[in-house]
Each structure stands twice: as C-alpha cells, then as structure tokens.
Amino acid sequence: RPNEVTYSSLINTFARANQPDKAAEMFQLMQQQGIRPDEVACNSLINAFARANQPDRATEVFQLMQQQGIRPDEVACNSLINAFARANQPGKATEVFQLMQQQGIRPDEVACNSLINAFARTRQPDRATEVFQLMQQQGIRPDEVACNSLINAFARTNQPDKAAE
C-alpha cells in the first residue's frame, strides 16, 4: 500500500516531468487515502506549479502547508518566489521574500536571484539593484545569474551605462 514517501516520490516525478495536473492528482489521492502530505510532497507540488507558470495554484499549496501546521521552508519559499517572478508579479514575490525573513529563514542566492529577475522582467532596475545590494550586505556573493539579471534590468530600460557599472 502506498505511503507518504511513495506519494511524495510520485508527486516529485510528475513535477519534474512538467505534469503539474498529474502531480496535483497524486497529491489529492494521497489525501483521499488519509495520508497527510508532508513538506516534501508540498514542496514538489509548489515547484510543479511554479514551473508551469501557475502561481495561484502554487500559493494554494503554500497556504495549505501553513493551515496544516507545516512551516514552509527555504525550498517552498524559493519555489513560490520563482513562481511569481516567472509570472511577472514582483510585488507578490517580494511579499514571500519578506515572509521568509519574518519567519527567520535567511534568503539565499536562489531567492535573491529570482527576485532580481522578477524586477528585471518588469523593468524595475532600481528595485533589482536594491536586492543585489541586499545580497552583498548579507554576505551572499552575487553569481553570474544575479549579475546577468541586473544587467538585463538596465538593458530593458535602455540604460546601458548603468548596466556597464
């Protein structure tokens, strides 16, 4: 009989195969079988929806985690930030970033890069710069992704001189 680990593995498998609806089906089946989804199952489903550009569905799973007493971790937060970044919703990505900090989770390179990218995609280079500087203040060394996203933010707003800085 399938258990928590079995269902989590199946959800993750469908998530990686870019089949969010199948992942959600497994998640629902898990619950119907009386098995409470764990952090791994929730994170996998959030990631599936993030990759499929379905931030609202990712948010629903994130909220479900909280309702069930599962404290969202760095993985869940990063996936949700990424979901909002991909959907060009930097305001919501910022809310999750702030929630992360309020819950004592130190944003990492992945969270910062996703947020910089969200601001770059929506032509907000000043906000992207703020996150880039925050990374440095927190001792996170900006990598190629962060640097390229910041350059892109200035390029999209026709500010090549600032991009060169």
Side-chain angles (χ1 to χ4, degrees):
R1 178 177 172 164
N3 64 14
E4 183 179 278
V5 175
T6 309
Y7 280 111
S8 292
S9 295
L10 286 168
I11 293 164
N12 192 41
T13 299
F14 284 119
R16 289 177 182 265
N18 292 320
Q19 295 184 40
D21 291 334
K22 284 280 197 185
E25 199 177 297
M26 289 297 115
F27 191 83
Q28 209 168 25
L29 188 58
M30 178 183 202
Q31 292 174 302
Q32 288 170 356
Q33 297 293 321
I35 301 169
R36 187 171 170 257
D38 63 356
E39 193 175 85
V40 175
C42 293
N43 287 348
S44 294
L45 192 55
I46 290 169
N47 189 41
F49 290 139
R51 292 172 65 170
N53 200 21
Q54 296 179 22
D56 293 339
R57 291 180 79 187
T59 300
E60 288 172 14
V61 179
F62 190 85
Q63 290 169 342
L64 178 72
M65 282 179 86
Q66 293 173 310
Q67 289 165 4
Q68 294 189 354
I70 303 169
R71 187 172 174 265
D73 63 0
E74 188 176 284
V75 174
C77 293
N78 285 348
S79 293
L80 195 55
I81 290 168
N82 188 39
F84 288 126
R86 286 176 176 226
N88 295 328
Q89 296 180 30
K92 288 188 176 184
T94 301
E95 287 175 22
V96 178
F97 190 85
Q98 290 169 343
L99 175 72
M100 229 177 148
Q101 293 173 308
Q102 289 165 4
Q103 293 187 349
I105 303 169
R106 186 173 173 264
D108 63 359
E109 190 176 274
V110 174
C112 293
N113 286 349
S114 292
L115 198 53
I116 291 169
N117 189 41
F119 288 126
R121 291 170 64 124
T122 56
R123 301 172 194 257
Q124 297 181 61
D126 294 339
R127 298 290 310 272
T129 301
E130 287 172 18
V131 178
F132 190 87
Q133 291 169 343
L134 177 71
M135 281 179 88
Q136 294 172 312
Q137 289 166 5
Q138 293 190 351
I140 303 169
R141 189 165 184 257
D143 62 1
E144 278 181 45
V145 175
C147 294
N148 288 340
S149 292
L150 189 59
I151 290 168
N152 188 28
F154 286 109
R156 285 177 182 231
T157 56
N158 200 25
Q159 298 180 64
D161 292 339
K162 284 195 175 185
E165 288 176 21

